[in-house]
Amino acid sequence: MILNRKPSSLNLKVLLPLTAAVLALLVLGGGWTWWNQVNAPTHSAAAPSQGRAVKFQIPPGTPAEQIGENLQQAGLIHSIPAWKLWARWLRLQDRQGGFQAGTYEIDPSQSLSAIASKIWRGEVVQSGFTIPEGWSLRQMATYFEAQRLFSAQELLQTAQEIPHDRYPWLPAEIQSLEGFLYPDTYQIPTDQLSPQAVVQIMLDRFEQVALPLYEAQQGQTRLSLLEWVTLASIVEREAVMPVERPRIAGIFLNRLRQRIALGADPTVEYALGIQQTPDQPLTLAQVNTPSDYNTYLNPGLPPGPIASPGLASLKAVLEPEQTDYLYFVARYDGSHVFSRTLADHEKAQAAIQDQQKSSPEAN
């Protein structure tokens, strides 16, 4: 019996790969266990209350390692080495990207990889606001102040600073940005929300959506950019039913061609800073109040827009209904009666007034 026999070369060839495989599995298994631990949601005593998202701010220029340390101090991640490892992985995946400054809303139940990816993609906290079609600058300013974002005066003052250098297409003669702040729904990083940022994002949208529409029709319309937006703003405030917009635009264009005063109530309301209602229509004294915006007293268009028109009104002015109507008067349901002659128009006005007086609501 031989007790000290050495393993054969065959045995060594079999044992060595098996040993290496076992060691690799042990290392990988240990590494996987470690990664699962450091990448698990934070449940430590230092972490914020579970399930409650917290605001986490990253100043511009903060290095990736410092971001990780700040996250750990805030109790949002476990391990700085794991953070560095994931940061390297993100750089390999996206060499043009990087961790972005801003304010983030982070849920402590998120994993390290989810938090890192969110900051890498720049998914900062957003604030939304909606500006309806037909709102004036005054209405916008009141809205932002009511939302406690900034004062009404701040927006009005910013809107008087015309950024011709950034937007050279803005008419040279305008005194404010009335009409050129495009009405829409917007999202903006919360920590960037300011009157200047609001004005910029709305002018950008006008440049993207409205301006190309005008430029495509420049050879077919005699209206300047300012005249186009001004007339569209009046159409926006006059038309309640979308189907009537092109007809109302056609009537105003007919009156401009025939040098008949537009006689648009919204221009008087704008000049006086009021809004008439069925119970309180414009008075004769108000209609006769002198103002550059009063289209009863002054022929042609007012000096500038009276509100921000939407796309439908802007299109209606470029593609008006071809009509021989010259007058219209509003019913109390939002529709209008259209007339070709002044006599017919006056009859329509009288009929609507009689109907209003005899309605149950008036008694």
Side-chain angles (χ1 to χ4, degrees):
M1 183 176 181
I2 301 174
L3 297 176
N4 295 320
R5 189 179 62 180
K6 293 182 180 180
S8 68
S9 60
L10 178 62
N11 289 337
L12 286 173
K13 289 179 180 179
V14 173
L15 289 172
L16 286 174
L18 284 174
T19 303
V22 170
L23 288 172
L25 285 172
L26 288 172
V27 171
L28 289 173
W32 183 248
T33 301
W34 172 80
W35 175 252
N36 279 337
Q37 288 175 347
V38 299
N39 195 40
T42 303
H43 298 297
S44 68
S49 299
Q50 187 179 355
R52 292 184 183 177
V54 297
K55 295 288 179 61
F56 181 79
Q57 190 167 18
I58 301 175
T62 306
E65 185 172 343
Q66 185 64 52
I67 294 173
E69 291 176 3
N70 294 345
L71 285 166
Q72 187 186 50
Q73 289 172 7
L76 294 170
I77 66 171
H78 290 286
S79 169
I80 296 298
W83 170 265
K84 292 179 181 178
L85 181 64
W86 197 254
R88 290 194 190 99
W89 170 253
L90 288 171
R91 289 193 187 96
L92 288 172
Q93 294 292 102
D94 180 10
R95 294 183 179 276
Q96 302 301 317
F99 292 116
Q100 300 182 41
T103 300
Y104 294 84
E105 200 166 70
I106 298 177
D107 190 327
S109 65
Q110 290 179 300
S111 64
L112 180 149
S113 57
I115 293 172
S117 297
K118 171 181 278 194
I119 298 173
W120 187 271
R121 291 192 297 266
E123 296 175 2
V124 296
V125 177
Q126 300 274 328
S127 291
F129 65 91
T130 298
I131 301 300
E133 298 168 346
W135 267 18
S136 67
L137 275 173
R138 283 193 294 256
Q139 288 173 298
M140 294 181 204
T142 300
Y143 164 78
F144 284 114
E145 184 168 272
Q147 297 295 312
R148 298 183 180 180
L149 299 174
F150 40 79
S151 72
Q153 187 57 38
E154 284 180 287
L155 180 69
L156 294 174
Q157 184 174 346
T158 301
Q160 291 176 346
E161 301 165 3
I162 315 301
H164 288 292
D165 54 338
R166 186 180 178 92
Y167 305 97
W169 47 266
L170 283 168
E173 62 270 38
I174 60 174
Q175 302 300 311
S176 80
L177 295 172
E178 185 79 86
F180 293 94
L181 301 183
Y182 192 79
D184 208 339
T185 295
Y186 296 90
Q187 293 289 329
I188 190 169
T190 300
D191 51 6
Q192 296 178 22
L193 191 58
S194 67
Q196 292 76 18
V198 166
V199 164
Q200 181 176 323
I201 196 173
M202 295 182 74
L203 282 176
D204 285 345
R205 190 67 54 86
F206 186 97
E207 187 175 65
Q208 295 161 4
V209 177
L211 191 60
L213 186 68
Y214 175 75
E215 291 175 340
Q217 297 287 330
Q218 264 188 295
Q220 303 174 40
T221 179
R222 296 180 179 179
L223 297 173
S224 68
L225 177 64
L226 179 57
E227 291 171 335
W228 173 54
V229 178
T230 299
L231 183 53
S233 73
I234 299 174
V235 171
E236 186 68 62
R237 294 302 296 262
E238 285 280 18
V240 177
M241 297 186 173
V243 69
E244 292 186 349
R245 278 197 183 95
R247 177 170 293 182
I248 289 174
I251 290 173
F252 281 139
L253 287 167
N254 286 345
R255 293 174 75 87
L256 287 172
R257 280 192 291 268
Q258 297 185 35
R259 301 183 183 278
I260 302 172
L262 296 184
D265 287 1
T267 63
V268 177
E269 296 173 53
Y270 181 81
L272 298 176
I274 62 173
Q275 187 168 352
Q276 65 176 325
T277 64
D279 296 332
Q280 292 184 322
L282 290 175
T283 66
L284 184 60
Q286 289 171 329
V287 170
N288 288 326
T289 301
S291 167
D292 290 342
Y293 283 86
N294 188 325
T295 56
Y296 281 95
L297 302 180
N298 305 305
L301 290 166
I306 61 171
S308 286
L311 196 61
S313 293
L314 291 165
K315 285 182 176 179
V317 173
L318 293 176
E319 301 171 2
E321 180 179 317
Q322 300 302 312
T323 179
D324 55 358
Y325 288 123
L326 286 172
Y327 305 91
F328 62 89
V329 59
R331 296 188 180 97
Y332 288 94
D333 62 358
S335 65
H336 293 81
V337 176
F338 299 93
S339 303
R340 293 177 176 82
T341 67
L342 180 59
D344 288 342
H345 176 60
E346 290 173 342
K347 289 178 183 178
Q349 284 180 312
I352 291 172
Q353 289 171 359
D354 289 343
Q355 182 180 8
Q356 175 66 8
K357 290 177 183 178
S358 61
S359 67
E361 291 81 1
N363 299 321

